[in-house]
Amino acid sequence: MVWIRSGTTKSVRVRAGLAEVRQLLLDVERAGLLMPGVNSLTHVSGAVYHYALDPITNGAVHLVPDYEATFDTTDPGHITWEPHGEHNFRSWGAFTTRESGVDGEVILEISTRSEASVQVAPVMVTLIEPFAQLQTDEITTGFLDRLRGELEPAAVSP
């Protein structure tokens, strides 16, 4: 087993109030289910949530990501998460929100880093990681689009 790594930082401007954006993000289950590929998201206990994601299959890798994350919502402007326990997938990240300088507009940023444990020869990691990075970028962009669509439905095109 080897670990495949990827990460990204992306942001979007949202026409909504800062309190409204933060309220959505603080609702971990509601917001988390907007992430592309999430099959289920359940509250385990305290700040721990269990994720089951769509299978990843690309010819070289087959993985059914299943993991738990602990959320820190102490600062609604900087919500973070990190892995909890041992799983075949791990995710770290942060949502940062701030006023954009334009009335009624907020900047929503997400930074993520993830690792997936896959059964491939170590020499394959350099070939697989660029595809994992592309998938991470696509999922993160889709996640931001869905969050934005939840907050301002008329702004997101079909």
Side-chain angles (χ1 to χ4, degrees), residues 92-119:
W92 296 258
F95 283 116
T96 305
T97 52
R98 65 184 182 282
E99 298 283 353
S100 73
V102 174
D103 276 349
E105 185 179 88
V106 172
I107 295 176
L108 167 57
E109 180 180 278
I110 182 173
S111 295
T112 65
R113 179 172 58 97
S114 61
E115 299 177 344
S117 177
V118 297
Q119 194 162 353

Side-chain angles (χ1 to χ4, degrees), residues 39-99:
N39 279 329
S40 68
L41 172 59
T42 52
H43 181 237
V44 176
S45 68
V48 178
Y49 293 83
H50 178 262
Y51 287 79
L53 305 181
D54 288 341
I56 298 169
T57 303
N58 68 6
V61 172
H62 178 74
L63 173 72
V64 180
D66 184 78
Y67 70 103
E68 290 181 355
T70 302
F71 281 77
D72 181 349
T73 59
T74 307
D75 177 357
H78 189 73
I79 298 168
T80 62
W81 66 90
E82 62 185 33
H84 177 264
E86 292 298 319
H87 300 278
N88 67 354
F89 185 85
R90 302 185 289 214
S91 176
W92 296 258
F95 283 116
T96 305
T97 52
R98 65 184 182 282
E99 298 283 353

Side-chain angles (χ1 to χ4, degrees), residues 7-64:
T8 193
T9 298
K10 296 194 177 287
S11 65
V12 66
R13 291 177 179 267
V14 179
R15 286 190 310 264
L18 187 59
E20 182 183 3
V21 173
R22 289 180 176 174
Q23 182 180 14
L24 172 60
L25 298 175
L26 288 168
D27 186 344
V28 174
E29 290 177 75
R30 178 177 165 216
L33 287 171
L34 294 172
M35 185 177 83
V38 173
N39 279 329
S40 68
L41 172 59
T42 52
H43 181 237
V44 176
S45 68
V48 178
Y49 293 83
H50 178 262
Y51 287 79
L53 305 181
D54 288 341
I56 298 169
T57 303
N58 68 6
V61 172
H62 178 74
L63 173 72
V64 180

Side-chain angles (χ1 to χ4, degrees), residues 1-8 56 61 63 83 86-92 112-118 120 122 124-137:
M1 296 293 243
V2 296
W3 288 95
I4 304 296
R5 295 171 174 83
S6 63
T8 193
I56 298 169
V61 172
L63 173 72
E86 292 298 319
H87 300 278
N88 67 354
F89 185 85
R90 302 185 289 214
S91 176
W92 296 258
T112 65
R113 179 172 58 97
S114 61
E115 299 177 344
S117 177
V118 297
V120 297
M124 297 294 291
V125 171
T126 57
L127 299 172
I128 296 170
E129 280 186 338
F131 294 103
Q133 183 61 52
L134 179 63
Q135 185 172 28
T136 295
D137 288 341

